[in-house]
Amino acid sequence: MSGGDRSREVARRGVGAVRVWAGAEPLRVIPAVSAVLLVLVQITYPLSAGAARDRITVAVVLLTVATALLHAVTTRGVRWAAGFFVIVSGLGLLAEMVGTATGHPFGAYSYAVDRLGPALADVPLIVPLAWTGGLYPIWIVAGLLTDATTVWRCGVFVLGAVGWDLFLDPQMVADGQWTWRVTDAGLPGLPQIPYTNYLGWALVATLMAVLLTVLDRLLPPARDDSVAVPVAVFAWTWLGSTLAHAVFLGLPASAAWGFAGLGLLGIPLLARHARAG
């Protein structure tokens, strides 16, 4: 078989595999399309500035949460998806409101509330949506890595949440979306974000993990349990953010810290897939 024939055969098999995947459960296509749009919009972020970047930030969050909830609805059902949203966005909003008002549990910080749309108690409402969109893939991956064993899954989820914030906080602080009162008490290369922020994330993520475990017990999986979309979003967040921070955004420290932080989940995930062939 020539090189051209081999390429065409690989392409044919790839298209066939996609058709089988979509045909087995047509609803799978919906979150997949949303995920593709998410990636395309995120690619434009480093190329933008000013008000255009703010609009892209909002669009990225909306597509992230849409992908998460569409996947949750099509695989776990509407009630589970609603429960996940209420737990994560609800706790996220509460934590942010308490945090901006009191400085606990993250440390003292404030949002640029005039840039990301409507706000409640000085917290842009897009922020709690970001909690749902960003943490959903981490919850799914944590379940894969621990076979959904309760205590271990909660611990891995907390590690992943903090790892994700090692990308998120430096990027948003560099863009002026929020600022910290203490700017010299952070990780090497990231002094502008205090250690208390990561401790706060760990605390809030732990509460979320406990409630999500209860949700899983009350509403166990009853539909297709395909995880291709959230796993792909997780991998894109991990590796794509590393590339973007290191090359396009001029944030090499957060590229290294974020790669290492999410790598605590990403590397075992890659190993798991390698073992599975």
Side-chain angles (χ1 to χ4, degrees), residues 37-133:
L37 291 175
L38 167 63
V39 171
L40 293 176
V41 173
Q42 282 186 314
I43 289 172
T44 68
Y45 181 90
L47 308 176
S48 62
R53 177 170 284 190
D54 291 345
R55 289 192 290 271
I56 289 171
T57 299
V58 172
V60 166
V61 172
L62 292 178
L63 283 169
T64 303
V65 73
T67 302
L69 294 180
L70 286 169
H71 182 269
V73 167
T74 55
T75 60
R76 301 296 299 271
V78 173
R79 291 198 300 161
W80 191 92
F84 187 94
F85 177 77
V86 169
I87 290 169
V88 178
S89 283
L91 270 180
L93 177 60
L94 179 61
E96 299 281 0
M97 292 171 62
V98 172
T100 53
T102 69
H104 301 291
F106 308 104
Y109 66 105
S110 59
Y111 283 99
V113 295
D114 58 334
R115 294 179 56 185
L116 295 178
L120 176 64
D122 294 329
V123 177
L125 294 178
I126 200 72
V127 171
L129 297 182
W131 284 78
T132 288

